Amino acid sequence: MGNDGGSIPTRRELVKEAAKDPSTTQVKETQTEKLQYYWAHCALSQKPLSLPVVSDSTGNLYNKDAILEHLIGTNKNGPEDNVASNEQTSGTIRSLRDIVEVGFKVEEEDRGIATKSTELRLVCPVSGKTLGPGVKAVYLVPCGHAFAESAVKEMAGDQCLECNASYSPDNVIPILPASTADKDRLRERASRLQSTGLAHSLKKVPGSGKKRKKDKALKEEEAANTTEQTAGPHVPSPKTAPSVSSNAIRNEGTASLAAKVLAEQEGRNKRRKIAPNDNLQTLFSSGNGIAGKQSDFMTRGFSIPAGAKR
């Protein structure tokens, strides 16, 4: 083929135009563009953010109606659709317990058109800074109020300035975190909550108590099996007659009386074993083997006369 004005590039031209690693400035510009997009659009439906806005354990922002459709769709759609939907949410949202409604403060002049505008203008209620890619923002769990991170660090105490709800430093969630340290901290927090049976909103996960009990029973069974293996085969002890322990009786008077009765019974049993039986003694004579006339016919026995012929 030819005469079409095209040309075939040579190897030298391809090597010269090979892709180079982006510079630091280019990386920052790409991150800024990405943050600008996700500060204005839902991470699930890719539609413009509109109140109410919710967030998951990774700090992503979603429209609440998109999350509701996602949760309803997981029960109706096929496996392929569910997999694609879970990939968009990173598999972190399985129920409403896994999200927290973020209490953003919208500028007063734009409040009337906030839910219809293509971009929300969100501000920090403490510092008045506009929340977005240029300002690192966080929200508190479980109340969900959003602030600039610098304002939260300057707060005295562990109570929200909007609703006075208490929170811990571990429950300060960065919004759309860009640093690796923040992402690692959020993953560690999610794993700790999962091990304790709690969701992102600090609500209990159904069935977590039964699972913990089952795991505990399995661990105890494994420990018992290990102990038996190290101790060797079990030798059953000889069966003994059941006895009543005075330590099991709480009343002191009853316990002392029971102890006396048991002691008398043990002494009586010993005497029976040692002392001869009177009934058996009456069957035998105590003389020189010749029964007397006055002896009983039962104990007299049979004697051969001296002059009898043999």
Side-chain angles (χ1 to χ4, degrees), residues 190-237:
S191 62
R192 284 196 303 270
L193 292 177
Q194 185 177 5
S195 62
T196 56
L198 297 177
H200 171 56
S201 60
L202 303 183
K203 296 179 181 179
K204 290 185 178 181
V205 179
S208 59
K210 295 180 180 179
K211 185 177 180 181
R212 288 199 301 272
K213 290 181 180 178
K214 185 177 180 180
D215 294 340
K216 184 178 180 181
L218 291 175
K219 290 181 180 179
E220 291 178 354
E221 186 177 355
E222 291 177 358
N225 294 335
T226 305
T227 305
E228 289 179 358
Q229 291 176 359
T230 56
H234 175 69
V235 179
S237 58

Side-chain angles (χ1 to χ4, degrees), residues 57-117:
S57 60
T58 60
N60 294 329
L61 299 178
Y62 307 91
N63 289 330
K64 191 172 184 179
D65 56 353
I67 294 297
L68 294 176
E69 292 177 0
H70 162 70
L71 294 176
I72 295 173
T74 53
N75 297 327
K76 293 183 179 180
N77 296 337
E80 296 180 357
D81 296 335
N82 293 340
V83 170
S85 184
N86 289 331
E87 288 180 355
Q88 291 178 339
T89 60
S90 301
T92 58
I93 302 176
R94 299 180 180 85
S95 67
L96 292 177
R97 298 178 181 85
D98 297 325
I99 59 174
V100 173
E101 185 171 341
V102 184
F104 284 118
K105 182 179 180 181
V106 183
E107 287 186 347
E108 294 293 338
E109 58 184 3
D110 296 330
R111 184 175 294 276
I113 59 173
T115 57
K116 297 181 181 180
S117 176

Side-chain angles (χ1 to χ4, degrees), residues 140-144 157-161 163-169 171 202:
L140 310 179
V141 177
C143 66
D158 56 353
Q159 290 184 342
C160 176
L161 296 180
C163 62
N164 294 328
S166 60
Y167 68 93
S168 63
N171 293 326
L202 303 183

Side-chain angles (χ1 to χ4, degrees), residues 131 135-138 147-154 172 174 182:
L131 303 180
V135 178
K136 191 173 182 180
V138 297
F147 305 91
E149 186 183 31
S150 57
V152 174
K153 289 182 178 180
E154 295 175 359
V172 178
D182 289 339

Side-chain angles (χ1 to χ4, degrees), residues 7-21:
S7 61
I8 300 175
T10 62
R11 180 181 180 278
R12 182 179 301 176
E13 293 174 347
L14 293 175
V15 172
K16 286 182 179 179
E17 298 177 359
K20 298 180 180 180
D21 294 334

